[in-house]
Structure formats: C-alpha cells, structure tokens
Amino acid sequence: MTVLLAGCGDLGTEAGLRFAAAGHRVVGWRRSPEKLPAAIEGVAADLGSAELPPIPADTTAVVVAIAADSPTEEAYRAAYVDGLSNVLDAVLASGASVRRVLFVSSTAVYGDAGGGWIDERTTPEPGGFSGRIIREAEELLHSRLRGTGITPVVLRLGGIYGPGRTRLIDQVRSGTAVIPAASRFTNRIHRDDAAAAIVHLCTMGTVPAPVYLGVDNEPAELGDVLDFLATELGLPRPPSESAGAVAGGEAAGASASGGKAAGGEPSRGGNKRASNGLLRSTGFDFQYPSFREGYRAVLAGVGARHP
C-alpha cells in the first residue's frame, strides 16, 4: 500500500522507514524533504498552507504527525488544528483510496490525575492550552471523517525518549536533576516503539479502535527513573527536593519541568499512570517495555535521531 506521512520529523521518519521495510511505498510531506532518507519519497509541503501537494490516488493510510514551532498557544493552534484541518481537506478532496487516518496525539489531553490510573475510557480533562488544543484536534479528526468510510485513529503518546532525546540523562550528568519530594508518576515511550505502534495500527487487519494510549508497560515515579539513570551512569543519586518545592516531570514533547512550562503552561505530563492494555490487546509488543530497557539502549548509543 501507499502511506502518506503528513509531517515527517524524527518520529514520522522512523515510522516511514518501518513502513518501507515492510514493503510499502512511503510519501513524506515536510518543509525540508531533502533531509529524508531515500526510502521515503520526500515532497515539500507546509501543513499550515491550504495549498498542499496532490495525494497519490492509491494512498490507503495517512499519518498526521505534527509538531508546533514554539510552545505558544498560537503555534499549537496553527499546527494541530489548522494543520490537521488542511490535511483532512486534502484527503477528502483527493478521491484517494484512504482507509485510515492516524493522528499522533498526546496524553496531555488528560491533564493531572493525582497519580491515578487512566485509559482510553477516561474523560480527557486537559489542564493547559496544549492539551486543550490537541483535544480539539482529536475531535476535529473524528467529526470530519464521520460518514466518509475513512477510519480515524488517535494515538495518544506519553513522553517520547530515545536517540537524541536525552533531557533526563543530561540533567543527571550535569548534576541539575532533583528527585521530587512528592510522588510523581510519569509515562513514556521509546521513539522506536512509538513508530512501531503507528505502523501496527495502520496495517493491522482488524479495524482499530478510535483511540489508543501509546505508553510503555510501566508508569514510573520520576525519582525512580532519575535514580536508575544515575546508577547506570555511575553517578551519585540526585538530591531530593525539599518539601513544598515544585516537582519535576517529563512530558510528551515538552520540557522536563513538572510545574509550569513556557508561557505559564501547566506541565503536559501531570501525575498519572496510563494503561497500554488496549494497544497490547491488538497484538502489539514493545521492544522497550519499560524505561530501563529503553534508557539502556539510549546510553549504549543504539539508533540515531533523524534530522
């Protein structure tokens, strides 16, 4: 089949390489297509523009993997709502044989759950503009594709880490990491598993559910992750934070701070434990089932971040 990647950064490129390795034709839209590997047919495209390139007539799956240019409300709306709307306009006007459109979303749509468990049945309650706007994009995807015969799929990813995504490692190495005084659960997924999940949901034989959580098997206390990294690096355990100070956390596409991010935006990570049971029930297996296997691979230099 032909797969269109609308947005082809690090995650989209890794997914594209996996689609290509499985024998599919892959077309990648991005502003700088010359940076894409040869296995992906790069096409210059600005998703913020209503004038997008033609969609190949035999395209059966479209993956929308968008990233905001800056951590502002305006940038998020331009990327996630306007960008997705433009892609859907192009898909619906093309007459192509698209059967599925997968939108890469974020667990930020849930906000903070006070350390409780969440899954696809949990009502999203975003705490800041990033989660609200991404949730708006999810609703746009489902409303625009309703009745078209195209299946919309939302993949809500936790904090992506992997090659070149080493914020917590860098904090431990630099001595700036601090173990939170209060309990703070974090949810993450290795870039390679996120890419593999995209391919799986676009190609599996059964019709996918409307929403999946893309997180690994083990929600982890941030302090445990920092302690593990220090041990792996042969460094002293990071100091514990004084009670009442702002706790840290790692969120999908956001900084590792758990209080306020840029512009006063509440942390996208929140304090919650996300279940991947629905994704695993489809037969998906994780290469890196927890942060331990994943971070060991990062520290060993396995893989590379795509430009």
Side-chain angles (χ1 to χ4, degrees):
M1 68 184 197
T2 295
V3 179
L4 170 63
L5 301 172
C8 213
D10 177 46
L11 176 59
T13 298
E14 181 63 28
L17 290 173
R18 290 166 182 261
F19 277 119
H24 305 297
R25 178 192 177 197
V26 184
V27 178
W29 284 357
R30 62 178 286 173
R31 291 177 183 141
S32 49
E34 69 279 358
K35 294 181 179 179
L36 292 173
I40 300 174
E41 299 175 29
V43 178
D46 178 359
L47 302 187
S49 169
E51 299 298 326
L52 291 174
I55 294 177
D58 62 346
T59 300
T60 54
V62 176
V63 176
V64 185
I66 299 172
D69 290 336
S70 64
T72 65
E73 187 166 357
E74 294 74 19
Y76 267 76
R77 181 162 297 281
Y80 288 99
V81 176
D82 298 342
L84 175 61
S85 181
N86 290 335
V87 171
L88 293 176
D89 285 344
V91 168
L92 295 175
S94 69
S97 54
V98 176
R99 295 199 299 268
R100 293 177 193 174
V101 175
L102 184 146
F103 172 64
V104 178
S105 180
S106 167
T107 54
V109 300
Y110 293 108
D112 194 300
W117 282 94
I118 63 166
D119 61 18
E120 293 80 2
R121 297 166 296 180
T122 304
T123 301
E125 294 181 356
F129 70 76
S130 60
R132 288 196 302 271
I133 291 172
I134 294 171
R135 177 60 180 150
E136 183 180 338
E138 292 182 353
E139 293 172 336
L140 175 69
L141 176 78
H142 286 286
S143 65
R144 290 288 306 277
L145 295 184
R146 190 172 295 119
T148 65
I150 301 173
T151 300
V153 187
V154 169
L155 178 60
R156 294 172 177 161
L157 297 177
I160 303 173
Y161 71 103
R165 299 175 185 257
T166 57
R167 183 180 296 276
L168 291 189
I169 294 171
D170 296 341
Q171 288 180 351
V172 173
R173 278 181 168 150
S174 67
T176 60
V178 177
I179 294 178
S183 172
R184 177 167 291 278
F185 281 98
T186 59
N187 304 273
R188 54 182 51 76
I189 186 168
H190 192 285
R191 188 235 17 219
D192 291 0
D193 281 327
I198 290 171
V199 175
H200 175 74
L201 293 175
C202 286
T203 58
M204 67 183 191
T206 56
V207 177
V211 179
Y212 292 90
L213 291 187
V215 295
D216 66 21
N217 295 350
E218 186 178 336
E221 290 268 12
L222 178 59
D224 292 343
V225 179
L226 295 174
D227 199 5
F228 169 82
L229 291 174
T231 300
E232 292 294 305
L233 292 166
L235 296 172
R237 186 177 190 268
S240 296
E241 179 179 61
S242 60
V246 177
E250 185 174 70
S255 73
S257 68
K260 295 286 184 178
E265 168 77 345
S267 167
R268 294 176 63 187
N271 180 21
K272 53 184 174 276
R273 286 178 281 181
S275 169
N276 65 9
L278 184 61
L279 178 60
R280 292 174 67 189
S281 74
T282 67
F284 182 77
D285 291 320
F286 284 80
Q287 181 178 358
Y288 303 107
S290 81
F291 68 89
R292 298 174 190 86
E293 297 87 355
Y295 274 120
R296 282 187 179 127
V298 175
L299 291 171
V302 176
R305 185 162 184 169
H306 304 294

